[in-house]
Amino acid sequence: MPHQVSVFAENKPGKLNRVTEILGKNNINIRAITISDTGDYGIIKLLLDKPAEGNEYLQNAGIASTLVSIVAIIIDDTPGSLHKATSILSSKNVNVEDAYGFTIRGEDRAVFVFQVKDVHATEKILKDAGFTIISDNELYYL
């Protein structure tokens, strides 16, 4: 199952720079990133090509980070495609705690990432509905 690295960071200049410096120096590639502002602190969520290693480098540098299990699926890059997935999850009472997506270069497909409580059950629900679940290796090298 894929993982994202979540970084809890004080909302001040230089924090993102420090995270990207550590990852870059250790040859860890950022595949996707989101930043959420919660006032004095924020959460940086990273899809890395080597998430466990990236998380370890960040922690060793004194940065509060953790590996979080996620569900990632392929959807068509067309209107309504994401709605199909969210409708299925809603009908099965799956709460999406966090989510983000990105397109695949040169293709009419996109990747959508869900953070949910029960990753295995959510993967089964989406797979049974015909969605392609992306493994960790596939996700980090799209």
Side-chain angles (χ1 to χ4, degrees):
M1 110 187 38
H3 293 87
Q4 72 184 15
V5 174
S6 294
V7 177
F8 185 69
E10 191 173 3
N11 196 357
K12 67 179 193 178
K15 286 297 184 178
L16 181 59
N17 181 58
R18 181 76 176 121
V19 168
T20 58
E21 175 186 35
I22 292 164
L23 296 174
K25 281 184 177 179
N26 289 288
N27 201 33
I28 305 292
N29 192 23
I30 299 170
R31 302 295 296 142
I33 183 171
T34 66
I35 301 173
S36 300
D37 175 24
T38 61
D40 291 337
Y41 289 87
I43 299 175
I44 304 167
K45 295 182 180 180
L46 303 149
L47 281 183
L48 305 175
D49 65 340
K50 296 174 266 188
E53 289 178 43
N55 186 56
E56 186 175 335
Y57 286 123
L58 292 168
Q59 288 181 345
N60 288 342
I63 294 176
S65 66
T66 187
L67 277 178
V68 178
S69 299
I70 55 172
V71 176
I73 62 171
I74 295 281
I75 60 173
D76 292 331
D77 186 17
T78 57
S81 294
L82 180 57
H83 176 68
K84 291 176 188 173
T86 60
S87 293
I88 290 163
L89 295 178
S90 177
S91 74
K92 299 290 187 179
N93 266 346
V94 175
N95 182 44
V96 176
E97 297 171 354
D98 195 24
Y100 52 94
F102 56 93
T103 58
I104 301 171
R105 255 186 294 192
E107 297 186 28
D108 292 330
R109 298 183 312 150
V111 173
F112 209 77
V113 175
F114 297 94
Q115 188 174 331
V116 296
K117 283 195 189 294
D118 191 337
V119 170
H120 294 294
T122 302
E123 284 181 336
K124 182 175 180 353
I125 289 166
L126 290 167
K127 186 175 182 179
D128 289 350
F131 286 92
T132 300
I133 306 300
I134 305 172
S135 72
D136 52 357
N137 288 334
E138 293 170 319
L139 178 62
Y140 308 133
Y141 294 102
L142 281 174

